[in-house]
Amino acid sequence: MAAINFSKNGICHYNVTNVEFFYNHSKKNISDTWRTKDILVVSLGLTVCSFVIFANILVMMAIFLNRRFHYPIYYLLGNLAAADLFAGISYMYLMFHTGPWTKKLSVYEWFVRQGLIDTSLTASVINLMAIALERHQTIFTMQLHSKMTNHRVVLLIIGIWLIAIVMGLVPTMGWHCVCNISRCSTMAPLYSRSYLIFWAILNLLAFTVMVAVYTRIFIYVRRKNHRMSKHTSQVKHRETVFNLMKTVSMILGCFVICWTPGLVLLLLDGLKCVNCDVLTYEKYFLVLAECNSFMNPIIYSYRDKDMRNTFKRILCFPCRRHERGEHSGVRFNTLDQERRRRVLQDSWLARRLRDGEAGDQVNGVQVVLKDADNILESTDS
């Protein structure tokens, strides 16, 4: 017989053999055998998780290898990919501990399973908020990249993960219903309904704030565009800023669309909505939330030409080793190559200015960049 502890709130069931006791109390039945539906869900889930892990590792490699992405906004996008990678690992762990396997879970193992998912969601939400603040800072000064130092970016990323881990541990540290099963929720039988309400409202409010920030930025950018002159260099810069803003906004929009239905369902469960039949939609909304983790690499490939070309270079590296002389839009510059490139840029620009060739400034800087790149390409090969 399982041991039972007592607390001032009631009976604590920490030492029950497995979580089936809580599932039975919440009327969330666990199948004894593998049904066709369970096999399909697990098979699809593992396939999606494998793609999520692969795709986000690809994004992180692209940002690491290509020095053109070594700016705060891309570091934050890389950290978002790390959060999606963590989500893929968390969902894979869930797939191996769901269905009939759920009966074998102890209370602490169940908390680990759910805590991983909560941590990955929190990391994604906070990271998106950090990206929103970074874009707000740069866009309102019509800059392409933030002047934030690498040291501050690293501290910001560390802070994001510390907060995410703490939020993932909150239910384990006491905000649960193990000692008061009358407060247990239906979708998460060991979580207190009050915690589900808190969790859902907190994230939905965060979504609302981010959407409001990005809406304000878009309105500002559109107004700024009408006031800017039609000079070639300004138009090019304006388009680059606006395109990056569109990419980030698509990422946010996809995240909100994928996660909002599940959070609303959690909120209804926390409010003890008897007629909502939350268990009927739970699996579908879970799959929708999981799909968000592989959408970002697809968005990058569609919106960012440099990122798309870098993906191709990584995936086709073995078959392109003998084609080093062929022109490509992306090179993985080493630190020494980057220094040489900047020296060439400065010297060519100084000479053109001295000779009076840049008086009109029509694509003058772009010519210098192109010439410097051509010289580096010929010397490196």
Side-chain angles (χ1 to χ4, degrees), residues 75-106:
Y75 291 146
L76 292 175
L77 290 175
N79 193 48
L80 182 60
D84 288 334
L85 172 63
F86 186 79
I89 296 173
S90 302
Y91 280 115
M92 183 168 285
Y93 183 84
L94 174 64
M95 291 298 104
F96 283 111
H97 296 84
T98 191
W101 288 328
T102 306
K103 285 187 175 183
K104 300 178 181 179
L105 295 177
S106 66

Side-chain angles (χ1 to χ4, degrees), residues 132-133 135-142 207-225 227 242 245 249 252:
L133 293 175
R135 286 295 87 190
H136 187 277
Q137 176 190 358
T138 55
I139 295 296
F140 274 75
T141 55
M142 290 308 291
F207 291 177
T208 304
V209 170
M210 286 188 287
V211 170
V213 170
Y214 279 102
T215 301
R216 183 170 183 263
I217 293 175
F218 257 122
I219 294 174
Y220 176 82
V221 170
R222 292 182 68 87
R223 289 178 179 175
K224 189 75 174 179
N225 285 346
R227 292 197 298 265
F242 199 62
M245 189 63 208
S249 299
L252 174 63

Side-chain angles (χ1 to χ4, degrees), residues 155-314:
L155 290 178
L156 178 60
I157 292 174
I158 293 175
I160 288 172
W161 283 102
L162 286 177
I163 296 173
I165 292 171
V166 170
M167 291 298 295
L169 291 174
V170 165
T172 309
M173 293 186 294
W175 203 345
H176 51 64
C177 63
V178 175
C179 296
N180 193 344
I181 60 174
S182 62
R183 297 182 179 179
C184 290
S185 62
T186 302
M187 292 176 60
L190 276 74
Y191 278 2
S192 172
R193 289 194 302 274
S194 60
Y195 175 74
L196 292 191
I197 295 173
F198 162 78
W199 178 252
I201 291 179
L202 181 66
N203 285 285
L204 290 173
L205 284 176
F207 291 177
T208 304
V209 170
M210 286 188 287
V211 170
V213 170
Y214 279 102
T215 301
R216 183 170 183 263
I217 293 175
F218 257 122
I219 294 174
Y220 176 82
V221 170
R222 292 182 68 87
R223 289 178 179 175
K224 189 75 174 179
N225 285 346
H226 291 300
R227 292 197 298 265
M228 290 182 68
S229 68
K230 300 300 181 180
H231 196 282
T232 306
S233 59
Q234 289 183 336
V235 171
K236 181 68 175 178
H237 177 78
R238 180 179 61 194
E239 290 177 352
T240 304
V241 171
F242 199 62
N243 286 337
L244 182 57
M245 189 63 208
K246 281 184 177 180
T247 301
V248 175
S249 299
M250 288 177 66
I251 294 170
L252 174 63
C254 180
F255 187 86
V256 171
I257 291 172
C258 290
W259 275 101
T260 299
L263 291 173
V264 172
L265 202 64
L266 284 176
L267 180 61
L268 293 175
D269 187 19
L271 295 173
K272 206 174 183 179
C273 179
V274 179
N275 299 323
C276 295
D277 197 14
V278 293
L279 295 179
T280 301
Y281 306 99
E282 178 191 15
K283 298 291 184 183
Y284 301 105
F285 290 166
L286 180 63
V287 172
L288 180 62
E290 184 180 359
C291 288
N292 173 76
S293 296
F294 71 75
M295 289 302 297
N296 290 346
I298 296 175
I299 294 174
Y300 298 146
S301 299
Y302 174 71
R303 293 289 309 169
D304 195 318
K305 183 178 179 181
D306 278 346
M307 186 73 77
R308 181 168 62 250
N309 290 337
T310 307
F311 288 164
K312 292 178 181 178
R313 288 293 297 256
I314 294 173

